[in-house]
Amino acid sequence: MTKTNRFLKFTIGKDDKKKIRKFLVQHKFSSSQLHNLKNKGGLIFVNHKQRHFDYAMKTGDQMLVVLNTEEPSDLIAPMKGAIDVIFEDEYLLVVNKPPGIASLPAKARDGKTMANLVKNYLLEHNENSSIHLVTRLDRNTSGLMVFAKTSYAHSLLDQILHTEDFQKFYLAMVYGQVEPKSGLIDLPIGIDPMAFYMRNIDHQKGKPSRTIYETIETFKNASLLKLKLLTGRTHQIRVHLTAIGHPIIGDDMYSKKIDPRMKRQALHCFRLNIVHPVTKELLNLEAPLPPDMVLLKSVLRGESNG
């Protein structure tokens, strides 16, 4: 049998709801997941006997939920290609995305994206190949991306995405030396009225956006920053750093200049600290600085020493 079904095991505690339906709602099953569980081939066993939603359980009962098989969408075609897997279990897949590849297919573009590569990887490993993208990165940003393997795991991750249980850290190399050396950028971000694909600071219509930054190293005319996202707006780090006068090196869209030292924005998602939504284990995941940013750092150090 292919590994398309997912199994969830629970021991019923004294504070848990005892009716199966209420228990599942308590454990963050959405109404659509309950519908799929009931009508699309999911199964529920209590103490090895199959039960329905209205069954009343007792403290100490053992419950096994067999999630329904998901039908993958045809919109994302599997495409062969190497992916750098940082972490994987039956619920999550975390990959290190190289620069120059989009997260998801866009109507205007054909070609490989991380979603296409991950779908092929899941198929090759006889996994459910429905794509559940939890975090995305801009085409020219590198680093850690999270995929969920089921809609249930996806919804659990969505619920913690912008909390302390799901912390996202980036490294960026920016123009100039940032003062103060650490702080909070709290500026609302909206769609740029001059270009729909860009974002800007918009105090009238923008959405609240917060980024914590800390200077890791200073160079003659540049800084290496560590950033923590508290919200998840499109282009958030790029717009915030531009707004405080320190755009990212290589980010010609927002810095308005081509930099021969860097062919893309020097931005990398290097660490994720995630409380696993099912096992509750703390995952401390890291992706090393990619070669082009390592090279840029040595160039900046050389300029400082020169």
Side-chain angles (χ1 to χ4, degrees), residues 191-207:
I191 296 172
D192 190 325
M194 307 303 288
F196 71 91
Y197 53 86
M198 292 181 68
R199 300 295 182 268
N200 65 1
I201 303 303
D202 185 338
H203 290 281
Q204 270 69 50
K205 297 180 184 172
K207 294 179 178 176

Side-chain angles (χ1 to χ4, degrees), residues 189-254:
I189 293 175
I191 296 172
D192 190 325
M194 307 303 288
F196 71 91
Y197 53 86
M198 292 181 68
R199 300 295 182 268
N200 65 1
I201 303 303
D202 185 338
H203 290 281
Q204 270 69 50
K205 297 180 184 172
K207 294 179 178 176
S209 309
R210 300 189 311 285
T211 307
I212 294 171
Y213 73 90
E214 175 189 345
T215 303
I216 301 297
E217 188 174 348
T218 52
F219 311 101
K220 186 177 179 183
N221 297 306
S223 303
L224 172 61
L225 304 182
K226 180 171 92 170
L227 304 120
K228 180 182 179 185
L229 280 182
L230 300 183
T231 52
R233 309 297 173 210
T234 299
H235 298 180
Q236 178 172 319
I237 291 173
R238 299 164 66 187
V239 173
H240 271 173
L241 292 175
T242 302
I244 64 168
H246 298 280
I248 298 173
I249 295 171
D251 188 0
D252 54 356
M253 183 185 286
Y254 289 102

Side-chain angles (χ1 to χ4, degrees), residues 19-144:
K19 283 277 178 80
I20 286 179
R21 178 188 291 277
K22 290 183 176 177
F23 175 90
L24 294 173
V25 170
Q26 180 187 3
H27 285 78
K28 311 284 178 63
F29 277 76
S30 68
S31 54
S32 66
Q33 284 152 5
L34 292 176
H35 173 82
N36 290 343
L37 198 55
K38 186 175 182 181
N39 300 305
K40 295 193 176 180
L43 298 168
I44 298 166
F45 297 90
V46 179
N47 301 333
H48 308 293
K49 290 184 179 175
Q50 190 175 344
R51 300 295 186 186
H52 298 290
F53 278 177
D54 56 357
Y55 180 76
M57 303 179 290
K58 300 186 296 296
T59 300
D61 280 351
Q62 301 295 312
M63 181 185 193
L64 174 69
V65 180
V66 183
L67 297 174
N68 57 287
T69 302
E70 294 180 34
E71 291 301 321
S73 162
D74 294 332
L75 297 175
I76 297 172
M79 294 188 187
K80 287 191 180 299
I83 61 172
D84 181 7
V85 176
I86 301 296
F87 174 84
E88 181 176 13
D89 67 5
E90 64 220 86
Y91 307 104
L92 312 180
L93 176 67
V94 182
V95 300
N96 180 19
K97 182 182 96 64
I101 182 169
S103 296
L104 279 171
K107 286 176 187 169
R109 293 180 191 268
D110 290 324
K112 283 183 184 175
T113 71
M114 290 308 296
N116 300 112
L117 296 176
V118 165
K119 184 163 188 173
N120 184 71
Y121 174 85
L122 293 171
L123 283 169
E124 285 184 344
H125 289 78
N126 295 319
E127 295 262 13
N128 161 37
S129 63
S130 295
I131 293 296
H132 297 283
L133 182 64
V134 180
T135 64
R136 69 179 67 199
L137 294 173
D138 295 341
R139 173 181 290 270
N140 288 321
T141 299
S142 55
L144 296 168

